[in-house]
Amino acid sequence: MPAIGPDFISLQSRDLDASRAFYERYLGLVRSPVGPPHAVVFDTTPIAFALRDVVPGTDLTSVAQPGIGAAIWLRATDVQDIHDALVADGHPIVSAPIDGPFGRTFTFADPDGYQVTLHDRA
């Protein structure tokens, strides 16, 4: 049987509480009432997005950029406002906002260094 498609995205985090607060504050994500104790699952659609404690044996500090080679894109409604809030608070912007085929788009680095792209067009 073939795979149907992506169903879940999870990022390992060195500080789960700090990362949860970051995604709630800047992206407006809301924690789902369900989820295991070692993770924060957000109420996102169409694909679940979560943060989890680092898996034993994984050392995120030993790599320059966690998730290198993977593209993490999230759709948002207020891309420019999110960008401006991140900049105002000194968070790293990897690529400045542009208008392209996916609408207003930019990439930031989250507290663990994952590069996440936001866009506003489906």
Side-chain angles (χ1 to χ4, degrees):
M1 295 189 166
I4 295 170
D7 192 52
F8 193 82
I9 298 171
S10 177
L11 303 178
Q12 296 183 58
S13 176
R14 290 181 292 250
D15 184 337
L16 193 57
D17 287 333
S19 290
R20 175 200 46 79
F22 175 88
Y23 280 94
E24 288 176 343
R25 177 176 181 184
Y26 294 103
L27 275 62
L29 297 183
V30 176
R31 188 176 190 164
S32 170
V34 297
H38 64 275
V40 173
V41 179
F42 293 106
D43 187 14
T44 56
T45 59
I47 298 171
F49 176 70
L51 304 168
R52 62 158 293 139
D53 287 332
V54 175
V55 174
T58 301
D59 181 8
L60 293 181
T61 61
S62 69
V63 295
Q65 176 194 332
I68 194 161
I72 303 163
W73 285 57
L74 302 175
R75 188 162 47 100
T77 56
D78 299 318
V79 169
Q80 188 63 52
D81 290 343
I82 294 169
H83 169 270
D84 295 348
L86 289 168
V87 168
D89 289 346
H91 294 286
I93 302 300
V94 176
S95 61
I98 61 165
D99 293 311
F102 300 103
R104 193 77 171 153
T105 305
F106 80 96
T107 303
F108 64 90
D110 82 353
D112 287 293
Y114 291 101
Q115 293 187 4
V116 178
T117 300
L118 293 184
H119 68 100
D120 65 6
R121 186 178 304 146

